Amino acid sequence: MEIRIEKNPNPAQKPTDESKLGFGRVFTDHMFVMDWYKGKGWEDARIIPFGNLSVHPASTVFHYAVEIFEGLKAYRAADGSIRLFRPIENARRLNNSAIRMAMPTIPEEDIVQAIETLVTIDKDWVPHEDGTSLYIRPFMMGDDEHLGVHGISHARFMIILSPSGAYYPEGMAPVKIMIEDEDVRAVRGGTGFTKCGGNYAASLRAGDRAEEKGFTQVLWLDGVERKYIEEVGAMNIMFKINGKVVTPELNGSILPGITRKSILELLRKNGIEAEERKISIDEVMECAENGSLEEVWGCGTAAVVSPVGWLAFEDKMFCINNGEIGELTQKLYDELTAIQWGKKEDPFGWTYTLVEG
Ligand code: PLP
Ligand code: COI
């Protein structure tokens, strides 16, 4: 794919204190944009100065939420080099989301090339401080300029970059999670397995309610029986029960997380049994009560591995591992981040150097 590059003549001041970055608030100097027209395909791949878009008020994205996105990171290693973690998996998932949402797919290698080219141009924005990274946000929007409800004939694919620190303000510390018993996030046959914006919009009310009560995020139950554990707002969830790891199976309504997949591979390589199956809220409560629920953690690109210290359901509150980071949770965080930041050899071939140090 040929990418036209227009350099930003007015580069912004880079953040001086990387410990205060937060998540997704600061953006780099450039963005990737490409247009798709029905009957013509993708065209005009370009990297241009970061800035506001001009979008028609009738655009499909505003009215019918025709939008999908991805999230991955570029990591700065100790020698200054910049590394990527499994971008092909994000490319594949973007296309799976696109198919569900009747949006156009993009050749996987073009998605990866666009990411690599943009990160290379804005390489000086990849932060250096421990635990920081450059969050990469590819997204696609339907952009037909009329109000009929139809499959789209114009899409825009874009990538923006955001130097970021920890997703949760508490960092790698046990979070409080509220199990949602009113709203549901997704149903089978719906869009739960995609990263479409609408899934997140529909989750905000429950998230706000949980935050008001002092919780970090909600844990969703299945949309039909409201009985089986699904996932957290921005992470998949794993339980350690009697020495074994259990995580909800991919059933079409949860996001097939790349961190989830990587952790399952890590666990199995280390000889730790990991089951992907249905797990009911009743089972979790029973295990919490009889002491066999040893650890709980969430996992995702933004949140990495996030220990869960407290789980609330209806009027019950369960404290897990005395509200402390579990041993396996810590080990998984350490091993995964060591591979991502190039502190340790990567036996899986998940990472590669994009820019030499
Ligand atoms: N589940 C949801 C709803 C998410 O938003 C995310 C974050 O992307 C995840 C799970 C974890 O997915 P990944 O590990 O690919 O980031
Ligand atoms: C991610 O982990 O990449 C996410 O997209 C989670 C959230 C910021 C939506």
Side-chain angles (χ1 to χ4, degrees):
M1 175 176 65
E2 202 173 309
I3 304 176
R4 174 168 66 81
I5 293 170
E6 183 191 328
K7 281 283 182 84
N8 190 334
N10 302 305
Q13 171 80 41
K14 294 182 186 61
T16 44
D17 185 355
E18 291 183 350
S19 68
K20 295 208 170 71
L21 280 171
F23 176 81
R25 295 176 182 280
V26 177
F27 296 93
T28 67
D29 288 324
H30 297 90
M31 58 190 189
F32 177 89
V33 190
M34 172 162 86
D35 290 283
W36 174 87
Y37 295 92
K38 197 171 182 172
K40 282 170 81 186
W42 290 103
E43 62 178 46
D44 198 14
R46 55 205 187 272
I47 287 174
I48 56 175
F50 185 92
N52 291 351
L53 303 177
S54 169
V55 185
H56 193 281
S59 178
T60 341
V61 66
F62 297 138
H63 301 272
Y64 308 124
V66 183
E67 194 272 348
I68 56 175
F69 68 96
E70 269 304 323
L72 68 159
K73 287 171 170 174
Y75 304 86
R76 182 158 323 258
D79 64 359
S81 63
I82 297 169
R83 307 158 62 80
L84 289 179
F85 181 79
R86 311 189 87 174
I88 194 77
E89 295 283 342
N90 295 89
R92 214 163 275 158
R93 191 170 63 188
L94 183 85
N95 280 336
N96 286 337
S97 297
I99 291 165
R100 176 62 184 83
M101 301 296 285
M103 299 175 91
T105 57
I106 307 172
E108 284 167 11
E109 61 277 15
D110 289 353
I111 300 172
V112 174
Q113 184 197 347
I115 292 169
E116 290 179 344
T117 311
L118 184 64
V119 171
T120 304
I121 285 181
D122 277 342
K123 62 185 187 326
D124 294 339
W125 284 88
V126 182
H128 297 75
E129 188 141 316
D130 227 22
T132 62
S133 55
L134 185 73
Y135 186 75
I136 304 168
R137 172 54 63 90
F139 63 103
M140 193 196 295
M141 57 189 257
D143 192 22
D144 284 31
E145 300 179 355
H146 63 78
L147 297 176
V149 182
H150 302 285
I152 56 167
S153 52
H154 175 212
R156 289 193 211 185
F157 173 62
M158 303 186 52
I159 307 172
I160 54 176
L161 306 174
S162 174
S164 291
Y167 183 64
Y168 297 126
E170 44 284 54
M172 165 64 177
V175 292
K176 279 188 177 167
I177 299 285
M178 194 179 99
I179 301 174
E180 171 63 28
D181 56 5
E182 192 180 339
D183 292 354
V184 297
R185 175 184 175 274
V187 290
R188 252 144 279 167
T191 57
F193 68 98
T194 73
K195 262 181 105 66
C196 73
N199 288 345
Y200 296 80
S203 78
L204 297 179
R205 178 171 84 159
D208 282 355
R209 277 194 306 235
E211 266 179 40
E212 274 165 28
K213 292 184 186 152
F215 293 90
T216 310
Q217 275 202 2
V218 302
L219 175 60
W220 298 101
L221 297 178
D222 77 279
V224 179
E225 296 181 71
R226 303 194 184 201
K227 180 175 167 190
Y228 295 103
I229 304 285
E230 296 240 305
E231 62 184 324
V232 187
M235 322 185 275
N236 293 110
I237 187 108
M238 296 188 173
F239 302 90
K240 181 167 168 253
I241 302 173
N242 274 333
K244 221 192 269 178
V245 174
V246 183
T247 194
E249 64 195 1
L250 300 180
N251 56 5
S253 64
I254 68 170
L255 193 78
I258 294 155
T259 320
R260 174 189 180 280
K261 179 176 177 173
S262 305
I263 287 180
L264 289 174
E265 289 171 38
L266 252 177
L267 287 167
R268 288 169 184 155
K269 191 168 195 293
N270 284 312
I272 299 169
E273 212 177 315
E275 288 180 352
E276 297 169 72
R277 63 166 168 86
K278 281 192 162 126
I279 174 164
S280 69
I281 179 63
D282 291 343
E283 179 182 347
V284 170
M285 287 194 299
E286 195 186 309
C287 294
E289 272 160 5
N290 70 20
S292 57
L293 180 62
E294 294 156 355
E295 299 181 37
V296 182
W297 64 88
C299 57
T301 299
V304 197
V305 173
S306 178
V308 176
W310 295 268
L311 267 182
F313 183 57
E314 294 172 340
D315 54 359
K316 295 199 182 85
M317 172 78 104
F318 299 97
C319 177
I320 297 130
N321 195 39
N322 301 318
E324 287 165 17
I325 302 176
E327 199 181 315
L328 183 59
T329 310
Q330 184 70 54
K331 187 167 182 270
L332 289 169
Y333 176 87
D334 292 344
E335 288 215 9
L336 185 65
T337 53
I339 290 173
Q340 290 169 331
W341 270 276
K343 294 179 187 163
K344 195 186 149 184
E345 199 206 331
D346 169 9
F348 301 95
W350 291 335
T351 55
Y352 61 97
T353 299
L354 175 65
V355 180
E356 296 292 343

